[in-house]
Amino acid sequence: MTANPAGLPCALGLDVGGTGARWMLLDASGTLASGVEAGFSGARMHTDAGRAEVRARLSRISQMVTEQAPGRRILGLVAGVTGVGSGSADMVAMLVTAFAAPEAGVRVVSDVEIAYRAAFAPGEGYLVYAGTGSIAAFIDAQGVLHRAGGRGVALDDAGGGYWIAREALRRLWRREDERPGAWRDSPLARRLFPIVGGDSSINAARFLMERDRGDIGMLAIAVAACAGSDTDPDADEIASAIMIDAGAELARLANAMLARYGLRPIVVAGRAAQLHRLIEVGMRSHIAVEAQLTFRHLESHRAAAAMALQIAALNSQPPSTENRT
């Protein structure tokens, strides 16, 4: 009796960011199932409450996999997780438990490595990725990952969703210092203040201190909605300026890679990078050299699943035996 009705190795790929976790289940015949669940950061693994949250999110994904593809045994699993270094023992243990996968078949890497492999083969180009945070990545021909940025929202991650949200609140309250009551005429303030709990800077500060980084990053969607277009009379000037400045910050990451490793194509990806066309305008105007720049949607969970399928194929092979005479 086998847990895999098709008799094929089965593999799961996970792409986990601060705001969302995408997964895909594959076998050699193609996609079996896929889905999206709330995301998390590996940085949450440092507290009991954080580990419980991660465990609950993985349990929910496992339930979704079982509902869509019952009876499948996962022999390979690759998870790209934000905030987790390669080979995190705690995360590997949680994945083994949640998905009943063999420990030898589970691999944990950073989410940016998975995203890079969805965009390029090693050595081909540079990835600039902006989700809740922001980072540039280059995997060289020897398979070594090189990074710029991506140091976390408390220190950096400029141009990402968290940065966009924090900048919006910061700039709104700086303008209040200069022109008290100006928020009442601001589409951006009228959109954000109810979300953060009121029209006091205390509400904004508490929102930033108490909410999860993913929740804060989601405010970037509201900021982008207020930026409007060049011909939109209701476009908020602060929101529009932040979109352009976010692009400039992402360009700085690309410029760092170009300066360090030479001219190569650049792919820009991630939900925050594609919130508004002004981000692309800002980025293109600040790239230091004439490099090929492409904005793309990446299926990082598919790349992770493809890597996992290779592991599953190895795990499904019967152990070799020596011929006896």
Side-chain angles (χ1 to χ4, degrees), residues 12 38 45 49 65 95 151 161 165 181 225 254 270 295:
L12 181 69
M45 299 285 285
V65 172
L95 291 165
R151 297 183 177 89
F295 280 69

Side-chain angles (χ1 to χ4, degrees), residues 201-293:
S201 61
I202 294 175
N203 298 116
R206 287 187 62 183
F207 188 89
L208 292 174
M209 289 187 292
E210 297 176 0
R211 293 298 187 95
D212 180 85
R213 62 192 289 270
D215 292 339
I216 295 168
M218 291 296 288
L219 283 184
I221 298 173
V223 179
C226 292
S229 64
D230 295 338
T231 59
D232 185 355
D234 296 323
D236 188 282
E237 60 181 359
I238 290 180
S240 297
I242 290 172
M243 294 295 105
I244 293 174
D245 291 346
E249 292 292 347
L250 298 181
R252 293 180 68 183
L253 296 176
N255 289 336
M257 288 301 188
L258 290 165
R260 285 158 59 183
Y261 305 111
L263 185 63
R264 286 181 172 85
I266 302 164
V267 164
V268 186
R271 189 174 184 183
Q274 299 175 57
L275 282 172
H276 199 282
R277 66 169 195 82
L278 289 178
I279 294 176
E280 181 174 350
V281 170
M283 190 169 185
R284 289 189 182 279
S285 65
H286 286 84
I287 290 291
V289 297
E290 192 170 331
Q292 178 185 334
L293 188 66

Side-chain angles (χ1 to χ4, degrees), residues 57-322:
R57 297 281 167 83
L58 292 177
S59 178
R60 174 57 186 150
I61 295 172
S62 178
Q63 180 182 350
M64 295 169 70
V65 172
T66 300
E67 290 172 352
Q68 293 192 41
R72 295 281 176 161
R73 183 170 177 234
I74 296 169
L75 299 180
L77 193 161
V78 172
V81 183
T82 186
V84 170
S86 294
S88 166
D90 288 344
M91 183 63 72
V92 168
M94 282 192 181
L95 291 165
V96 168
T97 299
F99 298 98
E103 185 174 348
V106 176
R107 182 182 175 197
V108 176
V109 299
S110 71
D111 59 335
V112 71
E113 179 175 341
I114 294 297
Y116 183 92
R117 293 181 183 276
F120 294 112
E124 283 187 345
Y126 307 122
L127 173 69
V128 176
Y129 194 92
T132 303
S134 65
I135 192 169
F138 171 54
I139 297 178
D140 64 26
Q142 288 70 47
V144 178
L145 173 64
H146 307 273
R147 303 157 56 117
R151 297 183 177 89
V153 296
L155 181 61
D156 186 17
D157 280 359
Y162 186 104
W163 180 91
I164 289 170
R166 184 178 57 196
E167 279 296 293
L169 294 171
R170 186 186 69 80
R171 295 187 195 192
L172 284 172
W173 283 106
R174 181 60 69 217
R175 186 170 64 178
E176 282 298 298
D177 290 336
E178 299 162 351
R179 293 166 44 206
W183 73 266
R184 294 182 176 85
D185 298 321
S186 164
L188 180 61
R190 294 198 303 270
R191 177 74 70 95
L192 294 188
F193 284 0
I195 300 175
V196 302
D199 58 358
S200 167
S201 61
I202 294 175
N203 298 116
R206 287 187 62 183
F207 188 89
L208 292 174
M209 289 187 292
E210 297 176 0
R211 293 298 187 95
D212 180 85
R213 62 192 289 270
D215 292 339
I216 295 168
M218 291 296 288
L219 283 184
I221 298 173
V223 179
C226 292
S229 64
D230 295 338
T231 59
D232 185 355
D234 296 323
D236 188 282
E237 60 181 359
I238 290 180
S240 297
I242 290 172
M243 294 295 105
I244 293 174
D245 291 346
E249 292 292 347
L250 298 181
R252 293 180 68 183
L253 296 176
N255 289 336
M257 288 301 188
L258 290 165
R260 285 158 59 183
Y261 305 111
L263 185 63
R264 286 181 172 85
I266 302 164
V267 164
V268 186
R271 189 174 184 183
Q274 299 175 57
L275 282 172
H276 199 282
R277 66 169 195 82
L278 289 178
I279 294 176
E280 181 174 350
V281 170
M283 190 169 185
R284 289 189 182 279
S285 65
H286 286 84
I287 290 291
V289 297
E290 192 170 331
Q292 178 185 334
L293 188 66
T294 305
F295 280 69
R296 283 179 52 192
H297 170 71
L298 299 179
E299 291 195 312
S300 300
H301 59 319
R302 183 181 293 277
M307 293 169 62
L309 191 61
Q310 295 178 345
I311 297 172
L314 293 174
N315 286 334
S316 67
Q317 293 176 0
S320 60
T321 58
E322 295 182 357

